[in-house]
Amino acid sequence: MPILMLALCGVMDTLELPEPAAAIFTTTEGKLGYLSRTGEEILIKEEEGWKKFPLPERFLLTERILVKGTLCYILAGRTLRLFDLRTSRKAVIAEDVDDAAINRYGELWVLSAFKLRRLSPLGRELEIRKLKTLPRSVWITGDSLYLADKEMPLLDEKMTEELKEAGVTAEQLAPSQLALHGKGLYVLLDSRRVLRVLRVLRVSTPEG
């Protein structure tokens, strides 16, 4: 399977969130965001502070949050829903979904058992791939798509050691506690603290 290799810049710090979070994410533009613990709002970090967007329905448990511009996709209960953060309009994009990822063009990669589908931002099917193995998760970094045989991406030894120094074990994290972007890795340590690790990313994607 494609493997992600990470090389760190050696910069690590902790960010304090203005209110408790249930899950974190990064937008396709690299901005940090989170779902409020009440499950009723999405907050995205801007230069002037945190911008709030109310959701038209409440989410207490989520597997993945994907955001590009004003389009927000929330995977919960194996259903991928679309919310327009500007208008609060919503729609169901896909069902029976194990995991999902979004690229910088707004295209969605949706994993369902042995099938990997590429969808338009509004859910139209663009491509389907049949898989020989059953992956646990799908990830995108930059323009690279890769699959993992567990819920976490494969981290190199240096990244693992950095996380251990911060008291974090990758195996204990759920995908909703991790946000991966070309500019950095974010880990939700508790409801109000996010560990930020800045790094240089090196990606290897051999077929396996």
Side-chain angles (χ1 to χ4, degrees), residues 15-155:
L15 305 174
E16 292 288 335
L17 301 179
E19 58 187 79
I24 62 172
F25 61 90
T26 53
T27 69
T28 56
E29 295 81 19
K31 298 176 182 179
L32 176 65
Y34 69 93
L35 173 69
S36 66
R37 190 164 62 182
T38 63
E40 298 172 329
E41 291 180 322
I42 288 288
L43 293 91
I44 297 176
K45 185 76 169 68
E46 302 286 353
E47 290 185 5
E48 65 276 9
W50 293 88
K51 190 170 183 179
K52 292 186 178 183
F53 300 92
L55 293 172
E57 62 182 274
R58 187 181 185 190
F59 289 92
L60 295 179
L61 296 175
T62 63
E63 287 89 50
R64 187 80 77 177
I65 300 172
L66 311 168
V67 176
K68 177 174 174 54
T70 64
L71 298 183
C72 173
Y73 304 86
I74 296 181
L75 176 59
R78 304 196 72 224
T79 298
L80 185 65
R81 294 176 175 85
L82 165 63
F83 301 92
D84 189 319
L85 298 177
R86 184 183 61 239
T87 65
S88 294
R89 296 176 69 179
K90 61 181 182 178
V92 172
I93 294 298
E95 296 182 330
D96 299 321
V97 175
D98 298 318
D99 201 6
I102 188 170
N103 63 23
R104 62 192 178 99
Y105 307 107
E107 296 172 339
L108 299 161
W109 285 95
V110 176
L111 179 65
S112 298
F114 288 94
K115 291 183 180 180
L116 184 64
R117 292 182 292 151
R118 182 167 61 95
L119 308 178
S120 73
L122 297 181
R124 182 170 61 88
E125 189 171 285
L126 304 174
E127 177 184 354
I128 185 168
R129 298 182 187 179
K130 292 185 178 180
L131 307 174
K132 294 181 180 179
T133 59
L134 183 61
R136 291 284 300 276
S137 59
V138 56
W139 301 83
I140 292 177
T141 299
D143 288 329
S144 298
L145 169 72
Y146 66 103
L147 305 176
D149 59 6
K150 53 185 179 180
E151 290 187 340
M152 299 295 297
L154 181 61
L155 305 178

Side-chain angles (χ1 to χ4, degrees), residues 148-172:
D149 59 6
K150 53 185 179 180
E151 290 187 340
M152 299 295 297
L154 181 61
L155 305 178
D156 68 9
E157 291 182 7
K158 189 172 182 181
M159 173 64 79
T160 302
E161 287 301 317
E162 292 280 351
L163 293 179
K164 283 183 179 178
E165 287 181 13
V168 178
T169 302
E171 288 74 17
Q172 298 174 340

